[in-house]
Amino acid sequence: MAHTEGLARAGIVQILHGTDDMSVVAEAASGCQAVQLTRLLRPDVAVVCGGSTEFGNPEVTRDIAEHGSTDVLWLTPSTVDATALRIMNAGAVGLLPMNTDAGQLLHAIRLIADGLGFMDPSVIRPLVRAAALHAPEDPDEPEDRFDELLTPREHQVLVYVGQGLSNLEIARILTVSENTVKTHVSRVLAKLGLRSRVEAALRARSVRPGQRAGHRGRSTDPIRHTQMGIAP
């Protein structure tokens, strides 16, 4: 399902119609309509464009995501700020710039439909900066907490996730298999009580690169058909 405005929505719909493994089940022109259609049709992924005031409201994302049947991919304007952080806290599991290309959009959707999260590398640094500026002075979970929960290798993986690296890129750096990295990421999410690698990337702001040596799951069948919703 796609939730975007005017020509932007039409462009996204055209891109999605050009794939064999996705279909657009609805389009929405308002936040209220997006929430209603999502609850009715329960698409796998809702693409929400944050360019408008209404769809930049975290409540829209929260209302779409709260029932657990639909994951939200949020398209962020050129400036990534505290609004994007609130959107992620509201339940979005993907963050992608609006000016992204078709290939990256489809890649993000497929990852999210397979139960993973997605954060474009270009938005990680400003998002982490916004998170740091709005973090409480006395965080509930200090850095020492990671020492108790994560192994040294899991620490490394968490740091690389925070840098926006893919599982394959991390595997090459650590000279291990991609499946091994996937296992580490899954364990990090489970130990820290996180839903996606997007949340892990945000949490990674508390882990220094030099510190310590060393989801609901959906089918990962590559031929699964993803239902989409589009909204502004």
Side-chain angles (χ1 to χ4, degrees):
M1 193 164 93
H3 311 301
T4 54
E5 290 181 307
L7 292 176
R9 181 168 67 245
I12 293 175
V13 170
Q14 185 176 11
I15 291 171
L16 298 178
H17 277 320
T19 67
D20 295 329
D21 59 338
M22 301 181 194
S23 61
V24 178
V25 296
E27 300 176 42
S30 70
C32 180
Q33 184 182 28
V35 173
Q36 291 175 345
L37 288 173
T38 300
R39 290 178 178 176
L40 176 65
L41 300 172
R42 297 180 177 273
D44 294 324
V45 181
V47 180
V48 180
C49 178
S52 69
T53 301
E54 182 175 8
F55 284 96
N57 183 347
E59 291 303 318
V60 173
T61 294
R62 181 173 291 107
D63 289 344
I64 292 174
E66 67 177 355
H67 292 284
S69 61
T70 301
D71 284 326
V72 175
L73 170 61
W74 200 69
L75 303 184
T76 179
S78 56
T79 302
V80 178
D81 53 20
T83 298
L85 183 62
R86 289 192 291 269
I87 291 293
M88 300 306 296
N89 289 335
V93 298
L95 194 63
L96 193 64
M98 279 192 223
N99 61 355
T100 191
D101 59 35
Q104 187 75 324
L105 173 64
L106 296 176
H107 175 63
I109 291 172
R110 290 185 176 109
L111 285 178
I112 292 172
D114 282 339
L116 301 174
F118 181 85
M119 183 183 293
D120 189 87
S122 67
V123 306
I124 290 178
R125 181 168 294 180
L127 188 63
V128 170
R129 185 181 300 118
L133 289 174
H134 293 82
E137 294 184 1
D138 297 315
D140 294 332
E141 189 170 34
E143 290 182 6
D144 290 346
R145 181 65 172 162
F146 290 107
D147 291 333
E148 299 173 11
L149 296 176
L150 304 181
T151 67
R153 180 48 60 91
E154 288 165 354
H155 267 282
Q156 290 179 308
V157 171
L158 177 59
V159 170
Y160 289 132
V161 168
Q163 293 172 356
L165 301 184
S166 68
N167 288 343
L168 180 58
E169 290 169 326
I170 297 173
R172 288 171 176 168
I173 293 173
L174 300 179
T175 61
V176 298
S177 71
E178 188 175 3
N179 283 336
T180 297
V181 175
K182 288 180 180 178
T183 299
H184 285 313
V185 172
S186 296
R187 288 175 178 170
V188 168
L189 298 182
K191 288 182 178 182
L192 298 182
L194 305 175
R195 294 183 303 171
S196 70
R197 67 189 296 127
V198 175
E199 290 186 14
L202 292 176
R203 186 63 62 89
R205 72 182 186 271
S206 299
V207 182
R208 295 187 299 272
Q211 180 182 352
R212 212 173 162 185
H215 177 103
R216 64 177 196 262
R218 289 200 176 115
S219 169
T220 56
D221 184 346
I223 63 172
R224 74 183 298 278
H225 190 90
T226 302
Q227 292 185 328
M228 299 298 305
I230 316 285

